Amino acid sequence: MHSVIFWFRNDLRLQDQAALQQAVAHAERHGQRLLIVYVHDPAQDDNTAWGFRRMGPHRRRFLAETLHDLSASLQALGQNLVLFQGEPHEVLSTLALRVNASAIYAEEIAAPEEQAQVQGLKEALKQALKEAPKQALTQPMTVHTVWQSSLLAPEALPFAVADMPQIFTTFRQRIEAVGLQPLPPLAAPRTLPPAPDVMPLPDQLPGWRESPWALLGLDDDIAHEVAADLRTEVSTRPLKDDEHSHFKGGESHALAHLHHYLTPPWPDRYKQTRNALQGLHISSHWSPGLATGAVSARTVWAALHAYEQQHGANDGTYWLWFELLWRDNFRFLHLQHGRQLYAARGLSSLPRPKHFPKDFQRWCDGNTGEPIVDAGMRELVSTGYTSNRMRQIVASYLVHDLSCDWRAGAAWFESQLIDYDIYSNQGNWLYISGRGTDPRAGRRFNPTKQTQDHDPQGRYRKQWLGA
Ligand code: FAD
């Protein structure tokens, strides 16, 4: 019997999961089984060119929790999330032969490494077929990727993505002028086709890992602590004001948190509070769920829209839509400019950035001597999160005051942030360094002024720097 493979990537949810629904429809149409996998690429465990581990501990923990939650939801539907460590093309082509796959479905990710993974998979499948002529494959194995991480569908935009306005304000105004609205989110599947019965015991397959903690190399103590915490945690419990560093990964937590924030007066105050440095309700904190795909932007928007219907629209709710449009803008920028966004010069004709490794290290460690910057960098390393305003201040300081390479800063954020998102991270770093689409060259945030404006009493600095 044939099977369909569904490969989870940065879309770790069941609700509003178009790619999974297409895989299910394919399997049901042809009476096939469904194998559901997640693959952790060992490249994530390597050191970056800048000298630190690519995926830091907070992001690992958050991802492990997210996979744990997804796995539980799949089990409730009689399915399994099978976890592998290895290069995706190798793991998936090996599995495809073992389970006689007719098709592999996955989310489309418009970033160079992720695109290379899909290309590598297509080539590996071709090669595997050539090398296994006796395999009982009666139909070619196809790979289908589905774009599903933006709020608005690229094809619905009032311009071709290739002609997207370079200035955000124009981009937003063109969308708002035609009244473009996101499509409603899809419901989670109620049933799933069964896993292949010819599936060999997973532990006979190279790279198989028993649990998300083992997959992500989290030591047993942490694993047990987190697992126990997850079991006892009531996912609907609201977080207290100082608890943003305790965010739990996973769809059930992301959905619970989405609705907690959508309670008066928080969204109504968003425009006034969003530039504050700390506090659970100063901004939505939806980003960790959005970045892992535990919740989709359309689900977020539908909940926000329902809030507006019930409590009224205002500047705060409008500004949340505005920020979700920024998120989309950085996604479409990848569709528009691709690999160019990864060049040292970015989209600009500025000279290549300089770099001073010792200064960069002081920045990473929160030891630059500039208190507001050091406090922000220490918060980031301690929690895996810092506010948008702090990200702007510390990024600006690295690029404009320490004259370091923006790509090193982007790599450090990638390592540390629990809400690391390739599109938003790359786009914001380019923007701050004046190498993106911003018409104003370089956005320097003066640390003295930022301190006066956002931490006049020194509370934030005191919290992260001590006395
Ligand atoms: P809110 O202020 O409540 O905004 C609501 C949602 O809108 C966010 O969850 C996010 O999805 C989106 N959003 C808000 N601001 C931005 C923005 N500037 N760019 C893109 N989307 C935005 N965001 C990430 O999700 N992942 C990253 O890796 C990331 N790296 C960044 C790097 C730098 C240098 C800077 C300056 C910003 C970066 N951001 C990144 C954007 C922004 O800081 C975070 O999205 C935001 O702080 C998340 O907190 P929140 O969910 O409370 O956001």
Side-chain angles (χ1 to χ4, degrees):
M1 181 180 253
H2 283 93
S3 304
V4 173
I5 296 179
F6 185 71
W7 169 27
F8 270 111
R9 302 179 89 194
N10 296 336
D11 53 348
L12 302 171
R13 63 175 179 275
L14 295 185
Q15 198 171 307
D16 201 23
Q17 226 325 340
L20 177 63
Q21 294 215 353
Q22 290 189 25
V24 169
H26 183 124
E28 286 176 349
R29 208 166 40 245
H30 301 285
Q32 298 179 355
R33 302 292 177 120
L34 180 67
L35 175 65
I36 304 180
V37 297
Y38 179 83
V39 186
H40 177 69
D41 190 333
Q44 294 293 330
D45 301 331
D46 291 347
N47 270 1
T48 65
W50 311 99
F52 47 84
R53 214 167 175 210
R54 185 159 177 190
M55 188 188 276
H58 296 297
R59 197 146 74 84
R60 273 172 201 277
R61 173 202 49 95
F62 195 77
L63 179 57
E65 289 169 0
T66 305
L67 291 168
H68 178 89
D69 188 73
L70 180 62
S71 180
S73 304
L74 287 168
Q75 274 171 18
L77 294 175
Q79 258 286 0
N80 276 315
L81 180 63
V82 191
L83 305 169
F84 290 96
Q85 182 166 51
E87 290 188 52
H89 70 274
E90 275 183 18
V91 170
L92 292 164
S93 59
T94 306
L95 283 174
L97 287 178
R98 294 276 188 113
V99 300
N100 213 359
S102 62
I104 299 178
Y105 283 82
E107 174 189 41
E108 168 83 26
I109 304 177
E113 268 184 47
E114 286 77 358
Q115 286 175 325
Q117 287 177 340
V118 173
Q119 193 48 37
L121 172 60
K122 288 180 179 167
E123 282 157 21
L125 287 175
K126 249 194 240 163
Q127 195 57 30
L129 277 177
K130 269 195 218 152
E131 286 169 8
K134 291 192 196 111
Q135 202 80 23
L137 291 170
T138 52
Q139 57 188 90
M141 295 187 270
T142 50
V143 179
H144 306 264
T145 55
V146 180
W147 177 265
Q148 58 176 1
S149 76
S150 53
L151 179 60
L152 301 168
E155 61 279 7
L157 295 172
F159 37 76
V161 167
D163 304 326
M164 184 171 85
Q166 295 301 283
I167 298 171
F168 174 75
T169 306
T170 319
F171 164 84
R172 177 179 56 77
Q173 286 169 344
R174 298 257 325 253
I175 288 170
E176 289 176 346
V178 296
L180 184 60
Q181 299 279 307
L183 290 174
L186 305 168
R190 290 201 181 157
T191 56
L192 290 170
D197 50 10
V198 296
M199 179 70 187
L201 288 174
D203 57 5
Q204 291 168 6
L205 292 167
W208 176 74
R209 295 287 182 276
E210 193 177 2
S211 72
W213 330 112
L215 183 73
L216 290 157
L218 292 165
D219 76 54
D220 283 350
D221 291 348
I222 297 178
H224 290 142
E225 206 179 291
V226 176
D229 197 17
L230 280 171
R231 275 196 301 275
T232 53
E233 178 83 2
V234 179
S235 69
T236 51
R237 179 177 75 82
L239 291 171
K240 296 199 196 92
D241 203 48
D242 59 352
E243 277 191 323
H244 68 258
S245 59
H246 298 239
F247 275 134
K248 296 266 181 285
E251 184 172 17
S252 54
H253 299 284
L255 291 174
H257 177 68
L258 169 64
H259 295 288
H260 285 309
Y261 182 71
L262 288 174
T263 307
W266 312 121
D268 313 339
R269 292 188 184 166
Y270 173 73
K271 191 163 179 233
Q272 282 79 48
T273 55
R274 55 183 283 276
N275 281 325
L277 301 187
Q278 206 163 359
L280 184 65
H281 295 108
I282 61 155
S283 66
S284 71
H285 293 99
W286 291 331
S287 57
L290 283 165
T292 46
V295 64
S296 78
R298 295 195 306 195
T299 298
V300 165
W301 184 83
L304 178 61
H305 188 59
Y307 177 92
E308 287 185 330
Q309 305 280 304
Q310 195 182 348
H311 303 284
N314 51 50
D315 279 359
T317 57
Y318 171 75
W319 222 258
L320 283 159
W321 149 262
F322 180 104
E323 294 300 342
L324 291 169
L325 279 189
W326 262 116
R327 180 178 178 276
D328 264 16
N329 184 263
F330 289 134
R331 282 168 154 67
F332 301 144
L333 208 59
H334 269 72
L335 295 175
Q336 189 178 30
H337 294 286
R339 205 166 265 285
Q340 189 60 33
L341 301 175
Y342 294 76
R345 290 190 171 90
L347 301 178
S348 76
S349 51
L350 295 173
R352 283 177 69 86
K354 295 183 196 144
H355 193 60
F356 300 96
K358 284 193 181 144
D359 290 339
F360 175 62
Q361 191 58 51
R362 288 194 294 118
W363 179 82
C364 294
D365 295 342
N367 267 329
T368 64
E370 176 55 66
I372 194 78
V373 172
D374 292 346
M377 295 306 288
R378 290 185 198 186
E379 183 194 11
L380 175 64
V381 171
S382 309
T383 67
Y385 182 90
T386 188
S387 67
N388 183 58
R389 178 51 52 141
M390 270 320 305
R391 294 180 203 201
Q392 292 172 320
I393 296 171
V394 300
S396 159
Y397 192 78
L398 181 74
V399 171
H400 300 299
D401 293 70
L402 298 178
S403 301
C404 286
D405 193 324
W406 66 275
R407 294 171 303 167
W412 183 247
F413 271 28
E414 170 177 352
S415 170
Q416 299 302 313
L417 284 173
I418 57 169
D419 67 7
Y420 166 67
D421 170 68
I422 181 107
Y423 309 105
S424 300
N425 196 46
Q426 205 73 9
N428 275 289
W429 275 96
L430 282 163
Y431 185 85
I432 297 268
S433 57
R435 294 169 187 275
T437 51
D438 185 8
R440 277 194 272 163
R443 292 191 161 242
R444 180 171 183 271
F445 287 70
N446 179 325
T448 310
K449 180 171 186 317
Q450 294 299 320
T451 307
Q452 282 161 2
D453 289 352
H454 301 294
D455 193 30
Q457 317 293 335
R459 280 184 54 217
Y460 178 79
R461 278 164 293 158
K462 188 158 185 233
Q463 168 155 5
W464 295 106
L465 300 177

